[in-house]
Amino acid sequence: MSAAKPSPPSRPTPTARPRKSPWPQRLLIAAVAAALAGSGWYYYRKQSAAEAAGAYRTAKIERGDIRVAISATGALAAISTVDVGSQISGQVTEVLVDYNDRVSKGQVIARIDPATYEAQIAQGSAQIQNARASLATAQATLRNAELDYQRKSELAAKQLVSRSDADLARAARDQARAQLNGAQAQIEQQIASTQTTRLNLQRTVIRAPVDGVVLTRSVEPGQTVAASLQSPVLFQIAEDLSKMEIVLAIDEADIGQVKAGQGVNFTVDSFPDRRFRGQVQQVRLSATNTSNVITYPVVVSVDNPDGALLPGMTANAEIEVSRRDDVLRVSNAALRYKPADEDAAGAGNAGPNGGVRGGLGNDLPQVAQALKLNAQQQAAFDAALAQMKQRMAARSAAPAASAGGPPGGGAPIIIGGGRGPGGGGGNNNRNRNGGAMSGAARQRMLERFNQQFGAFRSLLDDGQRARWDAEIANLVTARRVPLYKLAGGKPEPVVVRVGASDGSWTEVSGNVREGDEIVVGSGRTGP
C-alpha cells in the first residue's frame, strides 16, 4: 500500500486591484504641450517683432537747445588807430617814445631840427620892417601929393594955372594912394609869411594826437624827413586797447541772418582754452568780390579789460544768429529719410496721431488756447475749425480715388522755400506734387484762412487779433516736412513744422512728443 503524497501548499487567492484613470496623464501631457506651444508662439512673436524693429534705424524725439551760428575768421584791431606823421621836412633830432609806450594827448614824442625855420622867421621879421619903412615913404608921398593937388585945384578955379596942371596933380595924388595901399599889403603879406614860418617852427615838435599806445615807430634820431610829396608816417598809435574790434568777412548766403546786437563767441590761438565774447556792431554794405565769392564786412566790438587780446591776432568767431532753448528736436537724418518702395503703401496711411493729414488743423487749437478765449469766442473757433476739417476731408477724397493722388489720400505736404534743415536742399524743399510752394500759394492760403475764420476773428479784441494774425502768418509760411514714426514695426508718416537747425538737430513741432521713435534709416540689407 503506497504512502499518500503530500498535497502542495495552497496559494492565497489574489484580490482584484482598482484600475487607474488615464485622464491625469493626458491632462499633464496636454498642459505641457500647451506650454511648449505658447512658448514657441511667444518666441515667434518676439522674434518677429525684433526683426520688424530691427528693419529700421530710429532716433528719439528729445528736448534740448538749438544754437544756430555762422563761423568766420577775422583779425583783431584797435577801434581807432592814428598814423602820426610830419607836415614839414627836416632832420629828426630826438625820438622820445618807443614801441608799446603809453602816451597822452599833447605829449612830445619827437623833435625836428628847428634852425631852418628860426632863420626864416628872422628873415621874415626883417622884411616886415622893410615893408613898414616903405609904407612910411608912401604915406609922406601921399601927403605931399594931396597938398599939391589941393593948391593947383584952387589956382585952376581962379584960372591962374591951366587945367592940365591940376589934372596932373590929381593923378600924382592917386598914384601916391596906390603906393600906400601896396606898402600896406606888403606888410600884411610879410606878416602872414612869418606866421606860416612860426607854425612850421611849432610843427618841429611832434606831439601825440590822442591817448593810447605806440604800436609802431618808423623813425630814428638823425633821420631826414621829406614831407614835400606826402606826409611820412613816423608813429602809429592805438587809441584804446581796452576796446577792440574784429572785422569778419561773411558770405552773402549768410549775411541776411546777421543783425546788429547779436552775440559773438570767438577764440584766438594764443588762448585756445579761453572763449571771448563780443557783439555785432555794424553790418557794412561794401561788398567784396574775391574769385567770384561775395562777402560783406561785419564789425564786432570786443571788450579787452585785461589786455590779453592784442592787435593783429586771428579770431575764430561764431555769430549766434538764433537760439532755441528746451525745444523738441530731432536728428537731421530723420528729415532726409524716405521709405523704400515696399514700405510706401504702409507709410502712406495716416495713423491715429494725425499722419499726413496733420498740420495746420492740429496747430490751430494750440494757437487758440494761447489766446485765452471766452465761451463765445471758443464756440466760434470750434465751429470754424470743424468746417475747415470738413472741407479738407472733402478736398482730399478726390485725390485719394485717382492714381496721381498722394498715398493714403492725404493732402500735399507743404515744404517751405529756401534751404531745408537737412542741409540737402533739392527734394527737401519740394512738395509731393514736385514743386516748391510759392509766395502766391501762401497768400491764397492766408486769404482762405481769413475767410474761414472771419466770424471768429471779428470776436477777438485788438490784442488777440494781432496775435492771431501773427501766429497764422507764421503757420502758413512755416516749413512742413514728413517724419516717419515707428509704430507696430512700420513707419507711420507724421507732418511736423520745422524751425531752427544747427546742422545736426532741427526743431520740430506738431504731432510728435518727447521720446517718440522716428525712423532715420533702413536696417535691411540687400540690393
Side-chain angles (χ1 to χ4, degrees), residues 262-283:
Q262 291 174 336
V264 179
N265 295 320
F266 68 94
T267 60
V268 294
D269 294 339
S270 299
F271 306 98
D273 298 330
R274 182 175 174 183
R275 297 185 67 84
F276 299 89
R277 290 284 298 173
Q279 189 178 57
V280 175
Q281 181 181 16
Q282 184 184 44
V283 180

Side-chain angles (χ1 to χ4, degrees), residues 65-422:
D65 301 338
I66 294 180
R67 178 176 169 272
V68 183
I70 298 173
S71 299
T73 59
L76 282 158
I79 293 179
S80 177
T81 301
V82 181
D83 293 335
V84 182
S86 174
Q87 295 178 278
I88 62 173
S89 301
Q91 187 179 36
V92 178
T93 58
E94 290 182 282
V95 177
L96 304 177
V97 294
D98 203 350
Y99 292 92
N100 300 339
D101 284 352
R102 290 192 172 274
V103 296
S104 57
K105 184 176 181 180
Q107 178 182 340
V108 178
I109 57 178
R111 296 181 189 275
I112 296 176
D113 185 8
T116 301
Y117 301 100
E118 291 174 347
Q120 291 178 357
I121 290 175
Q123 181 181 3
S125 298
Q127 291 176 346
I128 291 174
Q129 296 299 327
N130 185 31
R132 286 175 177 170
S134 299
L135 175 63
T137 301
Q139 289 174 342
T141 302
L142 176 61
R143 283 195 298 272
N144 183 47
E146 287 179 345
L147 292 174
D148 183 62
Y149 172 68
Q150 184 177 5
R151 287 193 298 269
K152 289 183 178 179
S153 295
E154 293 175 354
L155 294 175
K158 296 178 182 179
Q159 295 183 352
L160 297 177
V161 296
S162 64
R163 174 59 61 181
S164 62
D165 291 339
D167 292 340
L168 290 174
R170 183 175 61 183
R173 184 202 63 177
D174 293 340
Q175 289 177 355
R177 286 180 177 176
Q179 291 176 355
L180 176 64
N181 293 333
Q184 291 176 340
Q186 186 70 22
I187 293 175
E188 293 176 356
Q189 180 181 1
Q190 293 300 327
I191 292 175
S193 177
T194 304
Q195 184 64 26
T196 301
T197 305
R198 292 183 186 277
L199 290 176
N200 288 334
L201 179 62
Q202 295 176 4
R203 289 167 182 166
T204 60
V205 179
I206 309 298
R207 300 179 182 273
V210 294
D211 297 337
V213 179
V214 178
L215 297 182
T216 62
R217 188 197 75 180
S218 57
V219 65
E220 297 291 342
Q223 182 176 341
T224 299
V225 176
S228 57
L229 299 179
Q230 61 182 5
S231 177
V233 177
L234 307 182
F235 304 92
Q236 192 176 63
I237 300 176
E239 185 170 356
D240 184 9
L241 292 183
S242 64
K243 300 284 187 180
M244 303 187 72
E245 67 180 15
I246 311 171
V247 180
L248 303 176
I250 304 299
D251 189 85
E252 62 176 326
D254 299 322
I255 194 64
Q257 305 178 64
V258 181
K259 307 295 180 184
Q262 291 174 336
V264 179
N265 295 320
F266 68 94
T267 60
V268 294
D269 294 339
S270 299
F271 306 98
D273 298 330
R274 182 175 174 183
R275 297 185 67 84
F276 299 89
R277 290 284 298 173
Q279 189 178 57
V280 175
Q281 181 181 16
Q282 184 184 44
V283 180
R284 293 178 178 171
L285 305 181
S286 56
T288 301
N289 188 340
T290 305
S291 300
N292 293 328
V293 176
I294 305 299
T295 59
Y296 290 84
V298 173
V299 181
V300 177
S301 60
V302 178
D303 289 333
N304 185 30
D306 58 353
L309 299 175
L310 303 179
M313 285 185 173
T314 300
N316 303 308
E318 287 185 346
I319 302 175
E320 189 176 281
V321 299
S322 176
R323 184 180 181 89
R324 301 283 292 166
D325 296 330
D326 195 29
V327 296
L328 289 178
R329 64 180 188 176
V330 69
S331 172
N332 281 0
L335 303 175
R336 295 189 292 266
Y337 170 75
K338 294 185 181 299
D341 294 340
E342 58 268 23
D343 298 329
N349 296 322
N353 294 326
V356 294
R357 296 180 187 276
L360 292 176
N362 296 320
D363 293 328
L364 290 176
Q366 300 177 4
V367 176
Q369 183 179 3
L371 297 178
K372 298 180 180 180
L373 305 177
N374 57 34
Q376 181 183 8
Q377 294 170 339
Q378 186 66 47
F381 173 78
D382 293 339
L385 182 63
Q387 292 178 2
M388 185 194 75
K389 290 185 176 180
Q390 290 176 0
R391 292 190 183 97
M392 291 177 64
R395 192 180 301 116
S396 62
S402 64
I413 297 174
I414 300 169
I415 310 294
R419 296 183 176 180

Side-chain angles (χ1 to χ4, degrees), residues 334-491:
L335 303 175
R336 295 189 292 266
Y337 170 75
K338 294 185 181 299
D341 294 340
E342 58 268 23
D343 298 329
N349 296 322
N353 294 326
V356 294
R357 296 180 187 276
L360 292 176
N362 296 320
D363 293 328
L364 290 176
Q366 300 177 4
V367 176
Q369 183 179 3
L371 297 178
K372 298 180 180 180
L373 305 177
N374 57 34
Q376 181 183 8
Q377 294 170 339
Q378 186 66 47
F381 173 78
D382 293 339
L385 182 63
Q387 292 178 2
M388 185 194 75
K389 290 185 176 180
Q390 290 176 0
R391 292 190 183 97
M392 291 177 64
R395 192 180 301 116
S396 62
S402 64
I413 297 174
I414 300 169
I415 310 294
R419 296 183 176 180
N427 292 335
N428 281 344
N429 295 336
R430 298 188 179 275
N431 60 25
R432 291 281 179 87
N433 292 335
M437 186 178 182
S438 64
R442 293 193 184 97
Q443 183 63 30
R444 290 194 297 269
M445 181 178 292
L446 189 59
E447 292 174 356
R448 287 199 299 269
F449 266 89
N450 291 335
Q451 294 174 359
Q452 293 170 357
F453 289 86
F456 161 72
R457 185 176 179 275
S458 63
L459 298 176
L460 301 177
D461 59 35
D462 293 340
Q464 290 175 321
R465 189 179 299 111
R467 185 169 182 180
W468 167 264
D469 292 341
E471 292 292 341
I472 291 301
N474 291 335
L475 290 176
V476 171
T477 58
R479 297 193 304 272
R480 297 177 181 273
V481 299
L483 294 181
Y484 293 89
K485 186 189 303 183
L486 192 62
K490 294 294 183 181

